[in-house]
Amino acid sequence: MKTRSGIPARVRGHLATHAACGVLMACALALPAASAVAGDIRAAVHDRDGKPVADAVVVAVPAGGAAGAAILPGTAEEDQRNKEFVPYVLPIQVGTRVTFPNNDNIRHHVYSFSPAKAFELPLYSGTSASPVLFDKPGVVILGCNIHDWMVGYIYVSESPHFAKTGADGKATLGGLPGGDYSLRVWHPRLEGSEQATARQLAVPATGAADVAATIGLTPDFRARRAPTPGRGGY
């Protein structure tokens, strides 16, 4: 006896099994997309006069102090151009290796005495022999033994969630798992401690959390370039 659809019961059983497998596979493929949802932090940093602060590093650490999702550190570059460190502030994650290419037509001698990373790259031009591993969190102040005004900063974050503000004082930290975070701000001229800027912030699983931070800045005591342009020099 034939079924109403004209398909034997045995064949219909096989078709049903294949259909169920197809549904399960589709659900499995959909799971990563569902678990990949993440939120953002949109930060705006100003000084006490209401002016936007550039080169401020905004860091978010998950509640409890954990480093958060496992994000492998990569590589970064701290250039030397026109007798300056470029960028002036370079934020990186712990475990990042940084190269120090010299794109000037003179040699530089890069060094740091900072507790987070003390190192020295003797006089060289072009690209140094090997990158430098930054394996401790903290602020690393860069200098050049030949040019006293050359100062740069590498901010080594224990968290993979960080960003640097632009000229408009704004920075976006993207792709954070939803939850509670401790947010803090650092700047080379920050008045007071970085920890004093910390605040608690809830990040949604999707969408963005907006936060405004006001920080005090100390005067800029960077050494003036010497000699003056057009009068020769080193």
Side-chain angles (χ1 to χ4, degrees):
M1 179 179 178
K2 291 184 178 181
T3 65
R4 200 183 319 174
S5 63
I7 302 176
R10 184 180 60 184
V11 176
R12 283 192 296 120
H14 284 298
L15 291 175
T17 300
H18 284 298
C21 290
V23 171
L24 290 173
M25 184 174 295
C27 292
L29 290 173
L31 285 175
S35 62
V37 296
D40 299 337
I41 296 176
R42 294 188 300 224
V45 182
H46 295 82
D47 64 15
R48 289 182 179 144
D49 294 325
K51 297 178 181 178
V53 177
D55 291 320
V57 181
V58 183
V59 183
V61 180
I71 299 177
L72 294 177
T75 59
E77 182 177 281
E78 181 69 44
D79 204 349
Q80 296 158 83
R81 297 198 301 265
N82 191 28
K83 302 172 188 175
E84 299 285 359
F85 287 109
V86 180
Y88 174 53
V89 173
L90 174 66
I92 62 173
Q93 183 184 348
V94 168
T96 299
R97 295 180 183 273
V98 179
T99 56
F100 292 82
N102 175 4
N103 282 298
D104 283 334
N105 58 2
I106 57 175
R107 294 191 295 171
H108 290 301
H109 186 132
V110 181
Y111 71 92
S112 176
F113 297 132
S114 302
K117 189 66 181 184
F119 70 99
E120 188 172 7
L121 302 176
L123 278 169
Y124 71 98
S125 59
T127 301
S128 57
S130 59
V132 178
L133 172 65
F134 289 81
D135 50 1
K136 294 179 182 178
V139 177
V140 179
I141 305 175
L142 306 173
C144 174
N145 269 341
I146 310 302
H147 308 98
D148 293 338
W149 66 84
M150 284 182 64
V151 177
Y153 297 85
I154 296 180
Y155 182 96
V156 189
S157 170
E158 81 277 24
S159 169
H161 310 301
F162 57 85
K164 184 176 71 172
T165 59
D168 59 358
K170 296 180 180 180
T172 299
L173 289 68
L176 285 75
D180 295 327
Y181 288 80
S182 175
L183 190 77
R184 62 179 192 264
V185 180
W186 175 87
H187 187 270
R189 292 167 46 209
L190 179 66
E191 184 180 84
S193 70
E194 178 185 350
Q195 292 301 325
T197 70
R199 66 175 67 186
Q200 302 306 306
L201 181 70
V203 177
T206 57
D210 294 311
V211 60
T214 300
I215 60 174
L217 298 178
T218 61
D220 192 351
F221 290 123
R222 277 184 285 179
R224 296 178 60 185
R225 287 181 65 108
T228 55
R231 298 184 183 178
Y234 59 97

